[in-house]
Structures are given as C-alpha cells and as structure tokens.
Amino acid sequence: MDQNLVGASFLTNYWVNSVIVAAIVIVGSFLAFSVYEQNKKSLTNQTIAIFFVSIILWILFAHLGDSKSLVHYSLLFNRLVYGSLFFWAYCLILLPFVFPKDTGIVKRPYRLVLLLISVILAGISVFTNKFIASVTIYDWGASNNFGQWGLLFNIYMSLSILPIFSYIWIYRKSDETSRRQLKFFFLGLALFLVGVVIIYLLINPMVGDERYYKYGNYSAIFLVAFTSYAILRHHLFNIRVILTELAILIINGISAIQVASSKTPLEAFLRLVFLVLIAYGSYLLLQSVRREIKFREELQQLSEQLAQANAHLKELDAMKTEFVSLASHELLTPVSAIEGYLSMLLDEKMAKIEDPKAIRYMDRVYSSAKRLARLVTDMLNVSRIEEGRLLVEKKEIDLSKLINETIDEVKFKAEENKQKIVFENPDGWQTFGDPDKLKEVVVNLIGNSIKYSKNPGTISIKVEKVPTEWVAEKWQKVEAEIKARPLDDQEAIKSAVDEHFHALVGAQQLLISVQDQGIGIPKEELPRLFKKFHRVGDFTTAESQGTGLGLYISRALVELHHGRIWAESEGPSHGSTFTFSLPIIDSKDELLKMEAQVPQTKEQLKPLARPVKQAEEL
Ligand code: ADP
C-alpha cells in the first residue's frame, strides 16, 4: 500500500471517525449546555443552544448512517440527519433576530409557527420517503437518493440561509461589544464554509465520490466553538466550574465502574472506600471552586463599578475645574474694584476720612479684600495650569538678576519681620524660561520664608550647578517617600502639566535653594506641602494668612520649566529649605525641540492672573 492510500484509509477508517465524532459530540454538548446555562431565559442563548444541538445530531446521525454494523438502519439515520437539518434551518432563520442581541422582533407566536413547520418537515423526512427515498451503500458509507420532494428540501435549506446576509447590515448598526461577538461568529462561519467548500468543490470531484463529505460536517465545530466563545467570553469562570464538574464526574464514574467490576468482596470493599473518599474530595473541591469563582465574580463586578465611579469622578473633576475657572474669573473684576477703591479711600491725598476708628476698620477691610483678591487670582492660576491654558513665554534670562530684583521687592517686608535676605552667590546664573513665572516661584518661596519665621534670622539663597542624574535620583527618593503614603497624599507628586514640559533636559541642572531659620516643618508634613490647598495644621501657621495654593502653583510652574521642587526641614523650629531645579541655558535647543511636540495654540492660552505677587500681599 503506498503512503497516500495509508493516509486516506486512515481518514476514512470508521473508528477514527468515531473518535472524532465522539469528541465533537462531547465538546459540542458541553458548549451547548454552557451557553444555555449562562442565561436560561434568554432567547439568544436558547436559540444558540438548539443550533448547536442540531449540528451535533446531524453529525452524529450522519456518522451512524455510515456504520457497517448498523447498515439496516442507514436509511433511518440519514432521514434523521435531514430531520436535524430542519431544526438547524429553524435556528438559522431566527439567528439574525436574536444574536448577538434579542431584537424582540420575532414574537412567540411566529416562533411557534416556525417551530411547528420545522417539526412537521422533520417528521416528514424521518417517517416518509418524500425527501429521502432510499440510500445507496458504498464501501465508505451511505449516499442519499432524493424522493419526490427532494427539490423542495434543497430550496427550503437555501432560503433558510438567506437571513444570514442581514448580518452585514446588523454589524454596521451594532455597538462595540456586539461587534466583537459578531466577529467571532463570522470567523466560525467562515471556517465552516471553507471546510464545506474544500470538501464539496475540491476533494469530492478529485476523489470521484463523497467519501470525505463528513469532514465538511466536522468543520461545523468551528462555528460552534467560536460562537460559544463570543457568548461565554465574559463568563469563563462558569466554564471552569462546569469543567471541574465534568472531570469529577469522569473520575467518580471510573471508580464506580471499578467497584462494579471487582472480583472479590474485599476488592469491592476497598474500592468502595476509595470511591467514597474520592466522592467526598470531589464534593469539597467543587465547593471551593464555586466559592472562589463567586468571589472572583464579585471582585470583577466591584472593579467594574470602581472603574465606572472613577470615570464619573474624573468627569466631575473636570466640571469642577471649569466651574472654579469661571467663578474666579467672574469674581476677579468686582474684587479688584473693591480693592482699588479701598486703597484710594485710604490714601490721604485722594479722600478724607476723619474718624480714626473708621480708618482702622477700613484698613482691616482693605487687607481682607487683598487677601480675597489673592485667593481668587490663585484659583484662577490653578485652573489655568490644570486646563493646560497657561501662557508660557520662555526666553534666555539672567537668573541672578531676577533673584536680586525679587529680593529688592520683598526686602521691606522681610525687615518688618526681622529677616535678613542674603543671596550667597549671584554669579551670573542663566536659564531659559518665563521670567514672570519664575519670579512668582521665587517670590512664593522667599515670601513663605518671611511669613513662617517668628524670630530674627537670615534667609539665604543659593544657586549651584549639578548633574541631571543627581536631580533625578533626589526626585526618585522624594517620589518613593510619597508613594509609600496614603493615596490622598500622592496628590503632592501628581503632575498637573504635560509630560513634555515635565521631563528633565540636558546633562546639568541649576539648583536654587531658599533656606530660612524659621518655624520649620514637621517631617510627616514634608511630603504633603505641594498638595493643593494644603497648609500645615499647626497653631504656628494658623495665625499667618495663606491659601495653601502657593506651593502647589510653584510646583506646577517649576514643572512647566522642566524642573523639580522639594522641601527639607530638620523639624519644628529648625528652619526649612526649599529647593527647585531649572535647566541650564545650554539645554535651550533640546528643550524647545521637546516642547514643540505639545500641540498648543496661543489663542487659548492665558497669562498668570496676576504675574507677580507684590511684597505687601505676602
Ligand atoms: P500658604 O503659604 O498660602 O499657606 P503655601 O502653599 O505657600 O500656602 O504653603 C503651604 C504650607 O506650607 C504653609 O501653610 C505652611 O504651613 C508651609 N510652609 C511653606 N513654606 C514654609 C516655610 N518656609 N517654613 C515653614 N512652613 C512653610
């Protein structure tokens, strides 16, 4: 026998086919059952389950019809194949109306009529010779000979396939999930058709008979498998239970057979003990699997709910930012007017108020109005930063000059608070940035040092150049410390600006530090300082006025300049040091290249609400 014939006879061997059919019947029934179990009341699941069963029966009967030992029943089995095909046609007609979603179009009475027709046609094919008159037995199996209504059978089957084409339209109208399901269904259908076409148009004409026709049938298992996957994908946990049950059933069945086939009473007894143990173990296993699956399903549900809640919160957050932006914008005009007129009223040259009490009260009102104006501008700045609408106009700047100017502006306030400001090394430091914004940062830091120093002392400012890795490592440590804290505190490192602004550039960085001998900051407060609205809840700070936004804004401004900012303190009454990094002037080109990747139109951008905080406002 040559090699080809060995292969061919293997494929047509009845026992080989029996194994394949048995596998298809087991897998198919399991999937049909799983689909049905998943949602017993759903018309979709019911129809798909019947669809699978009809395919399984059709494959099974066709195989039995080919059996040599059952040759007398061959006609009956082949008629049963046709009977099954009428049920499969019933499902094919319904399918576009119920899968992936039940459209509700095919109402119960219509379905019953269709089912009745299918039952009658199936009955006719099984019990009469109208569709199949006889069978011819070949060495490879049986072939049908049509009866009087053979043509009708062909027409009915062809027509029942037509509704499938409506899926082209259904697909277009479907949502994401349904489309995903449909793709799997189409894939299964395509593989099935490819199988059938290869057998009927290629193999059969080549061999000259239909000995391989069954392989066309077998490819229906693709349709069954992919459709099940489409439906059960989200419920694979249940499949695990069913699989476990199946395995348990097989193991228990085998041991039961062993008990029954025992040769001596002792053997039977031992095997029975073994069976009881296995049964008990199976019971425990099943329970634990069920419990675990229930738990995981709950977990999944919870995480889905959490994801939804999170999306909702983000939406709310965006709405809130928009509201704050609108509200502060609207507030700024009247507040500025109040502040301006009050300052005029208090100016002796412009208005005359005689009563010293009135002047005192007015003075208080004026300082409150200034604080209010500060708060409103801060909020406006925060919303501009968070919405990415802050106008940043960078140029080459003389950092030493900028710091000196700032010191001049705040000197008077520092002296009032008995603080001396020393710029240790004003050696012509240069950077590339927006002078207004950097000034705001320096004013904030020096201002805080003045505000949070109770005793006479010195505020020293220092600039130095360090390798970029140094800053990166330092920042890693700061981040790690904050990441180990509660979620709420992690706000302190959540960047409010685009990554392209945030990234460190160049090989070296400038480090600007502002050190004071003031009230200091408790260790546990350090990581929280840069959060929005955060103020150290301590009696020492409670008396000084502030919004808790200064450091948050400073951080965002520094980040907009590819920098990092952090605070250090040895604890209460040991003073504090605030340090931030900025790129060196040589990194200008690299920096510009990186920022060019952020799409921004100048029209939507706005400058800081009030560029530089006046010394008296601190
Ligand atoms: P504000 O000063 O308006 O309260 P900031 O964001 O500027 O807001 O500062 C946040 C908090 O950080 C302050 O309330 C204060 O408790 C603390 N803080 C900032 N700078 C210093 C400093 N130099 N010394 C001690 N504490 C400080």
Side-chain angles (χ1 to χ4, degrees):
M1 219 184 266
D2 75 39
Q3 212 48 34
N4 274 340
L5 276 177
V6 173
S9 69
F10 177 75
L11 286 182
T12 49
N13 181 297
Y14 194 77
W15 291 110
V16 172
N17 277 281
S18 297
V19 172
I20 297 175
V21 170
I24 290 176
V25 170
I26 292 172
V27 174
S29 317
F30 168 62
L31 291 177
F33 179 67
S34 310
V35 168
Y36 176 67
E37 266 277 315
Q38 189 219 342
N39 192 351
K40 288 182 191 154
K41 293 208 180 89
S42 140
L43 186 60
T44 309
N45 294 49
Q46 288 171 2
T47 314
I48 297 280
I50 301 177
F51 187 57
F52 289 177
V53 171
S54 66
I55 292 175
I56 295 163
L57 289 179
W58 147 34
I59 292 176
L60 181 67
F61 289 140
H63 180 67
L64 292 174
D66 287 343
S67 161
K68 290 244 156 38
S69 48
L70 297 171
V71 76
H72 299 301
Y73 301 100
S74 189
L75 180 63
L76 175 66
F77 284 130
N78 278 285
R79 285 177 171 172
L80 280 168
V81 169
Y82 274 36
S84 320
L85 282 175
F86 280 112
F87 288 102
W88 125 279
Y90 162 81
C91 298
L92 269 187
I93 297 167
L94 277 190
L95 219 50
F97 301 101
V98 301
F99 177 78
K101 282 194 179 117
D102 183 6
T103 55
I105 294 174
V106 193
K107 298 267 169 347
R108 211 180 152 83
Y110 299 129
R111 287 203 310 273
L112 286 181
V113 170
L114 188 62
L115 189 64
L116 194 68
I117 294 173
S118 312
V119 170
I120 292 172
L121 288 171
I124 293 173
S125 56
V126 175
F127 298 111
T128 73
N129 59 2
K130 295 289 179 207
F131 292 124
I132 301 178
S134 61
V135 286
T136 311
I137 309 291
Y138 297 98
D139 59 342
W140 48 265
S143 173
N144 298 324
N145 302 313
F146 277 129
Q148 286 165 318
W149 293 0
L151 188 65
L152 176 74
F153 173 82
N154 282 333
I155 293 172
Y156 187 85
M157 286 298 152
S158 309
L159 286 181
S160 63
I161 288 172
L162 289 183
I164 285 279
F165 289 100
S166 61
Y167 272 119
I168 300 169
W169 183 76
I170 295 172
Y171 183 81
R172 272 200 226 128
K173 298 246 153 187
S174 293
D175 58 27
E176 242 344 274
T177 328
S178 301
R179 279 187 179 196
R180 232 181 291 136
Q181 286 185 313
L182 280 174
K183 275 185 201 154
F184 281 105
F185 173 68
F186 292 157
L187 184 63
L189 194 65
L191 288 173
F192 172 43
L193 290 180
V194 166
V196 171
V197 166
I198 289 179
I199 298 296
Y200 281 86
L201 298 185
L202 226 74
I203 309 283
N204 283 357
M206 236 163 67
V207 192
D209 61 42
E210 294 177 359
R211 69 179 64 213
Y212 296 115
Y213 83 96
K214 290 184 223 170
Y215 286 89
N217 293 353
Y218 298 161
S219 64
I221 194 68
F222 291 121
L223 184 56
V224 173
F226 282 100
T227 313
S228 323
Y229 183 67
I231 295 178
L232 298 170
R233 203 142 77 116
H234 302 292
H235 298 267
L236 290 178
F237 295 148
N238 290 339
I239 288 200
R240 276 188 31 202
V241 180
I242 299 169
L243 277 178
T244 317
E245 282 170 357
L246 206 72
I248 285 174
L249 200 75
I250 292 172
I251 294 172
N252 284 283
I254 292 174
S255 13
I257 293 171
Q258 277 186 331
V259 175
S261 61
S262 307
K263 293 195 179 71
T264 64
L266 180 67
E267 196 180 57
F269 174 72
L270 287 177
R271 285 182 174 175
L272 193 66
V273 172
F274 190 57
L275 174 63
V276 170
L277 284 178
I278 286 184
Y280 183 62
S282 311
Y283 169 73
L284 291 183
L285 177 68
L286 206 62
Q287 268 200 330
S288 78
V289 170
R290 286 217 165 122
R291 250 200 318 270
E292 192 212 344
I293 280 158
K294 197 162 156 248
F295 174 67
R296 284 177 69 165
E297 270 179 348
E298 279 170 5
L299 214 64
Q300 203 188 5
Q301 250 178 12
L302 274 179
S303 76
E304 273 165 22
Q305 281 171 1
L306 216 61
Q308 269 177 7
N310 198 18
H312 184 60
L313 278 180
K314 275 195 184 142
E315 230 169 74
L316 281 181
D317 199 47
M319 270 166 65
K320 181 214 71 193
T321 311
E322 201 184 319
F323 170 75
V324 170
S325 153
L326 275 175
S328 36
H329 195 82
E330 292 303 312
L331 279 172
L332 194 59
T333 324
V335 166
S336 303
I338 295 171
E339 193 194 336
Y341 282 111
L342 277 173
S343 97
M344 285 201 268
L345 271 180
L346 283 167
D347 188 342
E348 281 170 20
K349 282 178 235 135
M350 300 185 87
K352 273 243 154 345
I353 302 172
E354 310 276 291
D355 189 349
K357 235 189 196 168
I359 296 179
R360 218 173 52 238
Y361 293 159
M362 292 274 277
D363 222 18
R364 284 192 198 157
V365 176
Y366 180 47
S367 70
S368 294
K370 275 195 297 190
R371 223 174 343 129
L372 185 59
R374 181 75 221 161
L375 180 63
V376 171
T377 48
D378 273 356
M379 294 218 295
L380 202 53
N381 288 337
V382 167
S383 54
R384 280 185 189 164
I385 291 166
E386 288 186 350
E387 287 174 349
R389 291 196 295 117
L390 192 70
L391 180 66
V392 189
E393 287 179 306
K394 293 186 179 172
K395 53 182 177 199
E396 295 185 6
I397 43 178
D398 182 342
L399 189 62
S400 306
K401 201 169 135 217
L402 185 141
I403 295 175
N404 273 325
E405 277 171 14
T406 316
I407 294 175
D408 282 343
E409 278 172 35
V410 298
K411 214 184 229 155
F412 149 78
K413 190 77 189 175
E415 277 161 11
E416 240 180 38
N417 222 14
K418 300 193 182 63
Q419 301 301 311
K420 210 169 93 189
I421 308 181
V422 185
F423 185 4
E424 289 183 7
N425 52 351
D427 310 326
W429 300 105
Q430 284 192 307
T431 186
F432 187 75
D434 181 323
D436 275 352
K437 270 128 215 136
L438 292 182
K439 197 160 182 180
E440 169 90 8
V441 176
V442 180
V443 169
N444 269 336
L445 296 187
I446 302 182
N448 279 346
S449 287
I450 298 173
K451 220 163 42 170
Y452 301 110
S453 294
K454 297 286 170 242
N455 304 317
T458 308
I459 297 166
S460 7
I461 298 156
K462 205 169 68 190
V463 182
E464 58 189 311
K465 214 183 250 182
V466 293
T468 302
E469 293 98 76
W470 190 92
V471 178
E473 268 170 36
K474 175 78 198 173
W475 184 248
Q476 241 175 10
K477 272 189 218 142
V478 175
E479 261 189 338
E481 207 170 302
I482 296 178
K483 277 188 182 148
R485 298 178 68 100
L487 213 57
D488 186 36
D489 283 357
Q490 298 189 15
E491 286 277 315
I493 42 166
K494 210 170 91 193
S495 177
V497 309
D498 189 284
E499 180 57 31
H500 291 96
F501 289 114
H502 192 192
L504 295 171
V505 284
Q508 285 185 307
Q509 306 288 325
L510 292 181
L511 275 192
I512 302 99
S513 58
V514 178
Q515 185 175 26
D516 63 48
Q517 297 167 333
I519 61 169
I521 302 160
K523 274 256 167 330
E524 68 278 8
E525 286 289 344
L526 284 173
R528 297 198 197 125
L529 293 179
F530 296 91
K531 267 166 60 173
K532 223 187 303 183
F533 294 114
H534 187 78
R535 307 201 65 213
V536 177
D538 188 81
F539 68 96
T540 39
T541 54
E543 57 198 57
S544 38
Q545 294 155 352
T547 59
L549 286 172
L551 288 180
Y552 175 78
I553 293 173
S554 299
R555 175 164 68 93
L557 294 179
V558 167
E559 283 178 356
L560 275 171
H561 284 85
H562 304 267
R564 302 283 185 272
I565 183 167
W566 62 90
E568 281 156 317
S569 172
E570 289 303 317
S573 70
H574 281 84
S576 336
T577 308
F578 282 79
T579 312
F580 67 100
S581 73
L582 284 179
I584 55 168
I585 191 90
D586 299 345
S587 312
K588 177 182 157 188
D589 293 337
E590 193 183 333
L591 186 154
L592 284 174
K593 217 190 292 166
M594 193 176 280
E595 289 181 8
Q597 294 171 37
V598 192
Q600 271 186 320
T601 56
K602 203 165 170 182
E603 289 76 58
Q604 2 155 269
L605 301 174
K606 303 241 164 69
L608 276 181
R610 259 192 215 189
V612 177
K613 187 151 63 162
Q614 297 299 311
E616 55 174 321
E617 280 176 26
L618 290 171

